[in-house]
Amino acid sequence: MSKAVKLNKNRFYTTKYFGVAVVIAGCLTYSSGVKAQEININLTPDSINSEIKGNFDESIDQVTSVSQLRDVQPTDWAFQALQSLVERYGCIAGYPDRTYRGNRAMTRYEFAAGLNSCLDRIQELIAALPQGVSKEDLDRLRRLQEEFAVELTTLRGRIDALEARVTEVEANQFSTTTKLRGLAAFNVTGAFADGNVKVETSNVDAALEIRPAGRNSFTNAPIVQTAKDPQVTFSNLVWLTLETSFSGKDLLVTQLAAGNGNSPGNAYVSAGLYNSFGVPFLDQTAGQNVGLNEVIIRELFYTFPIGNNFRVVFGPRINWYRYFDNNLFNFFLTGTTSFNSGGSTMLNTIDRGSGVVALWDISKNVKFRAAYLGESDEFLPSEFGFNTAANPGKGLFGATSTTTAELQISPSDRFNLRLIYNYSKIDPNVPIFDQNGKLTGIGIGSATGEPISGVIDDGFGGSVHYGIAHTFAANFDWLITRNFGIFGRYAYGTTEVNPKNPVLSDGNVNAQSFQVGIGFPDLGKKGALAVISYLVPFDVLEGRRFLASGSGNGGTQYEIEASYFLPITNNISLIPAFYIIGNPNNFDDNPNVYVWNLRTQFVF
């Protein structure tokens, strides 16, 4: 009980009209429901709805007998007072579990709220039976009103203000069931090299996003040309996410996107490596037509719980990266910023897919995720053999798809280890050309090629059947102190190659990738994060003969990245980043490529 009530306890409860005084204390449920002392000044539709729901969910109908309150015993010092309140005044309520909780503390505001409620009840009794109320009762009630006049006035004012703000917010809110979240990124990006960069392609002048792979029909070697230096670009990317809940526990997510990014680092990549090394993740076009700000549906799924520790996600366009291969220091909004550093370069064969994800929180320290997704990437055109999950000719199970399982072990809140297995079925959809521009076959790779970085053919420019790939990966993050942490990942992938030419033998392309890095949370400012990363994206171990692009001359590409997330306000951030790419495209005699990026990021 609060200090204010303690000071008046003896005076209230030693009078002949003890029951009249306890009427005020008897309205604890109403007063605790109002919680006037905790009224939230920074109101939002969610906070208001939550406050109202949380405050009144526990109230029940008026009790008619004190015996209905199972925690009130005849031996309790206030039993007679409570009994009088029920029988004489009908001004008391309990909680849903039929308890009164008489030992609960209350403030003067709560007391005032109870007094106000009970005064209304007394006035009803007075109006009904004026001859049954003595002058003594009225005098005592009047004194109570006078003593709590300030609190009553303040309470009424605050409730009136709350009601006014509720009305205003409800009239102007976006929706009663849907939240709108947004991200806008402005990217200024430049890329340059120490000299001429060799790229594996049959046409260096083709659009960067469809740069073709090719083999020389005489030498059978991948065709190599020299990249052209790009100009500095200024692009945008916008995501608008609608989150709709029908029960408070489920969630329907619809994410719209538009962008016009075509990052200059793409000028230095071989065929099949568009939007990989040297490209900031948010410096991209959202849809299929690169450079055009077209609005597309990037994500569309529904999730709901089954019990306390299990959730199901299903939908026609699920973002694989929402649920797998996450890392404290690799989150693209605040951590490492490039496509290659934001996650394993050998995961995943598809980015968005149709299917289902199961999320099981086995315990506080152990989580398990599993998924099956058929390819439904929003940035790939159906006319070129993509978006196969919605194509009746290929369908959900007949073309590119992935099955993923991940186990996360967190011995503490500072260390996380994730073990991932990915099974991929990869449809051939990448054209192979000769030096004259003649189509010679259809291979595997490009945007739906992981664990391959590049393009696979039959070793002679010819077509292959669909490929089966197995990828094993692990990543960890360890926040050693509040201001320093380390992170890393490793992946090994093997992809089967099955040529359509029956004369040619089958084989495998085996490769590995790894990344190590350090992070500095709160460097320079609370909420900031500086990250330095070193990674090898695609180290070919076996099967180079099947790579029409991606093998280079046998070298091993490496990347060094530094980025700094600097929050200016809660909604605006600046993120400068700088990349150094050594041995680009796995040519050990290629010059270094350098990329810089300055991103202004807005979230709401």
Side-chain angles (χ1 to χ4, degrees), residues 11 78 118 145 165 219 225 249 253 296 319 363 403 436 451 460 498 505 529 532 539 547 557 563 565 584:
R11 180 160 60 89
C118 291
Q145 283 183 296
R165 297 199 68 175
T219 66
Q225 298 188 14
K249 296 181 179 180
V253 175
I296 54 93
N319 186 355
S363 69
T403 302
N436 299 314
F460 295 89
N498 184 10
S505 60
L529 176 61
I532 300 174
D539 180 23
L547 286 166
Q557 178 177 306
S563 63
F565 172 78

Side-chain angles (χ1 to χ4, degrees), residues 404-450:
T404 309
E406 177 184 289
L407 181 67
Q408 176 175 313
I409 303 171
S410 305
S412 72
D413 58 358
R414 290 178 175 268
F415 182 85
N416 301 286
L417 173 66
R418 303 164 189 88
L419 306 174
I420 307 168
Y421 168 71
N422 202 70
Y423 172 91
S424 303
K425 178 181 179 182
I426 311 173
D427 223 25
N429 47 37
V430 182
I432 314 292
F433 298 88
D434 65 11
Q435 69 276 14
N436 299 314
K438 178 183 176 181
L439 179 67
T440 60
I442 302 296
I444 289 173
S446 192
T448 59
E450 289 90 344

Side-chain angles (χ1 to χ4, degrees), residues 112-130:
L115 172 62
N116 185 60
S117 174
C118 291
L119 288 176
D120 290 341
R121 176 61 181 154
I122 295 301
Q123 288 174 358
E124 292 176 7
L125 293 174
I126 291 173
L129 297 169

Side-chain angles (χ1 to χ4, degrees), residues 41-209:
I41 302 304
N42 299 314
L43 295 175
T44 65
D46 294 328
S47 65
I48 290 174
N49 291 335
S50 176
E51 184 76 12
I52 292 173
K53 184 178 186 299
N55 291 341
F56 291 100
D57 272 354
E58 284 202 308
S59 64
I60 63 172
D61 294 336
Q62 187 74 38
V63 297
T64 57
S65 171
V66 72
S67 63
Q68 293 176 263
L69 302 172
R70 58 187 179 85
D71 62 340
V72 176
Q73 305 298 326
T75 55
D76 291 335
W77 67 271
F79 177 80
Q80 291 183 346
L82 294 174
Q83 188 176 43
S84 176
L85 289 174
V86 174
E87 297 172 357
R88 183 176 179 184
Y89 294 101
C91 187
I92 187 173
Y95 288 89
D97 60 355
R98 293 292 173 178
T99 60
Y100 179 63
R101 306 179 192 177
N103 292 324
R104 180 191 176 278
M106 68 177 179
T107 68
R108 287 179 64 87
Y109 281 128
E110 289 180 310
F111 193 91
L115 172 62
N116 185 60
S117 174
C118 291
L119 288 176
D120 290 341
R121 176 61 181 154
I122 295 301
Q123 288 174 358
E124 292 176 7
L125 293 174
I126 291 173
L129 297 169
Q131 70 280 6
V133 180
S134 68
K135 182 178 183 299
E136 218 171 11
D137 282 345
L138 295 176
D139 288 341
R140 294 183 186 280
L141 288 173
R142 189 175 296 110
R143 286 200 300 273
L144 286 171
Q145 283 183 296
E146 292 171 355
E147 179 173 352
F148 288 93
V150 175
E151 286 84 355
L152 286 170
T153 301
T154 302
L155 178 65
R156 288 192 183 99
R158 297 178 78 171
I159 291 177
D160 289 344
L162 176 61
E163 289 177 345
R165 297 199 68 175
V166 168
T167 301
E168 178 183 357
V169 170
E170 287 182 343
N172 294 282
Q173 66 180 321
F174 175 75
S175 168
T176 57
T177 59
T178 302
K179 297 178 183 178
L180 173 63
R181 303 184 188 276
L183 164 71
F186 299 170
N187 284 284
V188 180
T189 311
F192 58 96
D194 286 334
N196 294 327
V197 177
K198 290 183 287 188
V199 296
E200 291 174 303
T201 180
S202 62
N203 184 2
V204 75
D205 294 318
L208 299 178
E209 67 274 18

Side-chain angles (χ1 to χ4, degrees), residues 190-517:
F192 58 96
D194 286 334
N196 294 327
V197 177
K198 290 183 287 188
V199 296
E200 291 174 303
T201 180
S202 62
N203 184 2
V204 75
D205 294 318
L208 299 178
E209 67 274 18
I210 58 172
R211 178 171 281 177
R215 285 189 186 269
N216 188 292
S217 58
F218 298 107
T219 66
N220 201 41
I223 299 172
V224 178
Q225 298 188 14
T226 301
K228 298 179 180 179
D229 294 327
Q231 300 294 318
V232 173
T233 62
F234 190 172
S235 70
N236 70 268
L237 182 67
V238 176
W239 293 345
L240 296 178
T241 305
L242 305 173
E243 298 178 348
T244 303
S245 181
F246 306 104
S247 66
K249 296 181 179 180
D250 63 339
L251 200 63
L252 173 66
V253 175
T254 306
Q255 185 176 88
L256 307 177
N260 67 350
N262 190 5
S263 200
N266 282 313
Y268 296 117
V269 305
S270 291
L273 296 177
Y274 184 77
N275 276 354
S276 59
F277 71 81
V279 177
F281 182 78
L282 293 178
D283 192 12
Q284 59 170 289
T285 295
Q288 300 171 7
N289 298 306
V290 174
L292 298 182
N293 268 307
E294 297 176 322
V295 178
I296 54 93
I297 295 179
R298 185 174 184 268
E299 295 184 51
L300 181 61
F301 63 88
Y302 179 69
T303 176
F304 59 91
I306 299 178
N308 295 325
N309 303 315
F310 195 88
R311 290 190 71 87
V312 173
V313 183
F314 78 96
R317 187 158 282 168
I318 297 173
N319 186 355
W320 186 89
Y321 296 98
R322 275 185 180 260
Y323 307 105
F324 299 99
D325 198 28
N326 297 312
N327 191 286
L328 175 65
F329 297 101
N330 291 139
F331 183 46
F332 63 91
L333 294 182
T334 57
T336 53
T337 63
S338 73
F339 270 89
N340 276 3
S341 65
S344 173
T345 54
M346 304 181 79
L347 295 169
N348 181 33
T349 305
I350 58 178
D351 294 345
R352 257 72 62 193
S354 303
V356 62
V357 180
L359 311 173
W360 181 21
D361 293 345
I362 300 173
S363 69
K364 179 182 178 182
N365 305 108
V366 181
K367 298 179 180 179
F368 179 76
R369 286 27 182 158
Y372 174 85
L373 298 176
E375 188 267 320
S376 182
D377 289 310
E378 76 285 354
F379 55 88
L380 297 175
S382 301
E383 58 267 30
F384 291 108
F386 300 102
N387 278 279
T388 52
N391 182 345
K394 296 187 175 181
L396 184 61
F397 303 102
T400 301
S401 63
T402 61
T403 302
T404 309
E406 177 184 289
L407 181 67
Q408 176 175 313
I409 303 171
S410 305
S412 72
D413 58 358
R414 290 178 175 268
F415 182 85
N416 301 286
L417 173 66
R418 303 164 189 88
L419 306 174
I420 307 168
Y421 168 71
N422 202 70
Y423 172 91
S424 303
K425 178 181 179 182
I426 311 173
D427 223 25
N429 47 37
V430 182
I432 314 292
F433 298 88
D434 65 11
Q435 69 276 14
N436 299 314
K438 178 183 176 181
L439 179 67
T440 60
I442 302 296
I444 289 173
S446 192
T448 59
E450 289 90 344
I452 298 300
S453 291
V455 179
I456 284 177
D457 62 9
D458 65 0
F460 295 89
S463 298
V464 296
H465 294 286
Y466 68 81
I468 298 298
H470 304 271
T471 306
F472 305 88
N475 88 54
F476 78 93
D477 55 75
W478 183 14
L479 190 62
I480 298 175
T481 70
R482 290 180 55 188
N483 303 110
F484 177 73
I486 61 176
F487 61 96
R489 54 171 33 97
Y490 176 83
Y492 171 85
T494 179
T495 306
E496 298 175 3
V497 182
N498 184 10
K500 286 192 172 182
N501 186 338
V503 176
L504 300 178
S505 60
D506 297 347
N508 292 81
V509 175
N510 300 331
Q512 64 180 353
S513 68
F514 63 88
Q515 177 187 30
V516 293

